[in-house]
Amino acid sequence: MAGRDEPPEGTPEGLPSGGEDEYRSVVFDESFIRAARLQEFSAQERMGRHARAVRSRSGWPGRGPGRLLVAMALLVLAFGAAVLMGIHHPYRPPETPRAEPLRTTVVPLAPRDAVPGGTPAELFAHSPAAAFRTGASGVNLPGARGTAHFAYSDVLAALKIAQQYVVTSSLDPSVLMGGPAEKVRDLIAPEQYPQFDRSLATPSADGRHAATGWLVRFDPAQVALAGSEVRVAGVLRYAEAADRTLEVIADHTFVYPLRPAGPRTATAGAGTAGAATADGASLFTVRREVHFRFGAEDLRLHQAQVTLADVQAGPQSCTADAVNRLRPLLAGQHAAGGGPAGTDPYTTGQPPTSLCGTLAASSQPVLPSR
């Protein structure tokens, strides 16, 4: 009987018996045949209506609805994985918190004596503001560096927005004299628009709606700028907060030369409330500390979230309505009503946040004897 690897009739002539021929390495076992993509029809099948001698065998395991269910299952798994990766992506940027309401404190500073008067140049020369810079040049940018989550360009952009807000809200002549404040409004987050609008329309001493917390403004019926030179000194500081926002603090002192509104006519007499000196001008000092917060969206839209404003301004009377407009005492005038009004701790309801302080004599110009 022929061996497994030899033909039934034995080895053909011309070939070495028992040797390895060139086809011996090819083994057509049962698994190889079943895996073939083509299958030959049987003799009986070829006698029928089949025109071809072979038929194709599907390479996809299974037929019919089963194959569709497998495809749908794979699609659902892929979609679920994509959604899961989107939710837990390690580099997903943090959402910026919504803008909080601005908290304000406005403190009038009452002088002990009559307000000194003179020319603006003379007053500045003999006051602590002698070395201050003029106008916007006093609102300088500090050296900026990137933080953990904000690049150098982001920090610089935040500082410039804060600088623009300070200059616009504290030095723009139209804003100072009670004119339109759209230029200030355009720099804040839209979520703060309602609070801003209410503060300017119906200001109140509730710690949320003081117009003079948002900006510096005077009553044009009472005072006017004595020239365009406003002295300024202060700093801008920044730091990244725990919630991955950028915080900027603007701390500046502004010194305004003021005179009575109307024609420049000298009024004789001094030392009584309502009187003015012959020179007519006086200095009014405002210390503002404004806190800003910036997220990535705020920087993209060139806007700021104004979160805190502490204002101290004088000389004013403690009875002045300082939350609507600042009410400067002019040259020769005294504070009316004495010191701060008493606080009744038994009063219920919303406690007033308006305070009053005493203006230090060293902050006033000391003019030489004439």
Side-chain angles (χ1 to χ4, degrees):
M1 188 174 187
R4 178 179 178 185
D5 296 330
E6 296 179 0
E9 294 80 8
T11 303
E13 294 182 2
L15 293 177
S17 177
E20 296 290 340
D21 60 23
E22 58 179 325
Y23 300 106
R24 189 165 185 175
S25 61
V26 181
V27 179
F28 297 100
D29 57 9
E30 184 177 356
S31 62
F32 179 84
I33 295 173
R34 289 184 176 180
R37 298 294 302 266
L38 298 178
Q39 182 182 28
E40 184 178 6
F41 290 112
S42 65
Q44 184 176 359
E45 288 175 326
R46 289 199 299 271
M47 292 175 60
R49 292 176 295 176
H50 299 287
R52 297 187 302 167
V54 296
R55 58 184 169 204
S56 298
R57 302 182 66 180
S58 173
W60 185 275
R63 292 175 176 269
R67 186 166 46 178
L68 180 60
L69 291 175
V70 172
M72 291 181 65
L74 292 175
L75 183 62
V76 170
L77 288 175
F79 180 76
V83 172
L84 187 63
M85 287 295 293
I87 294 175
H88 298 285
H89 197 285
Y91 301 105
R92 188 182 185 190
E95 295 183 1
T96 303
R98 292 181 58 118
E100 298 177 358
L102 169 66
R103 294 177 288 119
T104 61
T105 303
V106 181
V107 181
L109 301 177
R112 299 179 186 273
D113 302 314
V115 177
T119 65
E122 183 182 22
L123 294 169
F124 279 128
H126 295 88
S127 77
F132 286 12
R133 295 191 176 187
T134 302
S137 64
V139 187
N140 298 313
L141 295 179
R145 302 180 67 177
T147 65
H149 299 93
F150 290 90
Y152 161 79
S153 58
D154 296 327
V155 174
L156 184 61
L159 290 171
K160 287 184 175 180
I161 296 172
Q163 179 191 46
Q164 185 179 357
Y165 182 95
V166 171
V167 171
T168 305
S169 64
S170 307
L171 296 172
D172 186 281
S174 175
V175 174
L176 291 177
M177 290 297 114
E182 281 78 7
K183 289 184 288 187
V184 179
R185 188 179 188 267
D186 290 342
L187 293 172
I188 66 176
E191 293 87 353
Q192 294 186 311
Y193 286 169
Q195 184 187 10
F196 180 88
D197 296 339
R198 179 182 168 186
S199 299
L200 269 62
T202 57
S204 64
D206 61 356
R208 290 288 189 270
H209 299 95
T212 47
W214 293 98
L215 47 81
V216 176
R217 70 174 181 178
F218 305 106
D219 185 352
Q222 300 295 324
V223 301
L225 289 171
S228 59
E229 186 177 282
V230 179
R231 299 293 181 92
V232 185
V235 295
L236 284 166
R237 303 188 299 271
Y238 71 92
E240 183 174 330
D243 59 354
R244 294 190 180 183
T245 58
L246 197 62
E247 291 185 346
V248 176
I249 298 176
D251 189 356
H252 294 83
T253 300
F254 304 86
V255 185
Y256 304 89
L258 301 177
R259 63 175 180 83
R264 299 192 181 202
T265 57
T267 302
T272 59
T277 64
D279 294 314
S282 61
L283 298 184
F284 187 78
T285 304
V286 177
R287 168 79 178 272
R288 296 185 77 198
E289 182 177 312
V290 184
H291 293 214
F292 305 90
R293 186 173 67 180
F294 298 89
E297 188 70 4
D298 297 312
L299 297 175
R300 186 183 70 82
L301 297 176
H302 194 78
Q303 66 189 24
Q305 302 176 37
V306 189
T307 60
L308 178 67
D310 283 333
V311 180
Q312 302 172 20
Q316 295 185 93
S317 295
C318 288
T319 57
D321 178 19
V323 298
N324 183 14
R325 288 181 173 88
L326 299 176
R327 309 286 184 179
L329 293 172
L330 300 177
Q333 295 181 336
H334 288 85
T343 300
D344 184 359
Y346 294 96
T347 302
T348 58
Q350 177 68 35
T353 57
S354 59
L355 305 172
C356 188
T358 301
L359 183 65
S362 59
S363 66
Q364 294 281 67
V366 180
L367 301 177
S369 302
R370 300 183 181 182

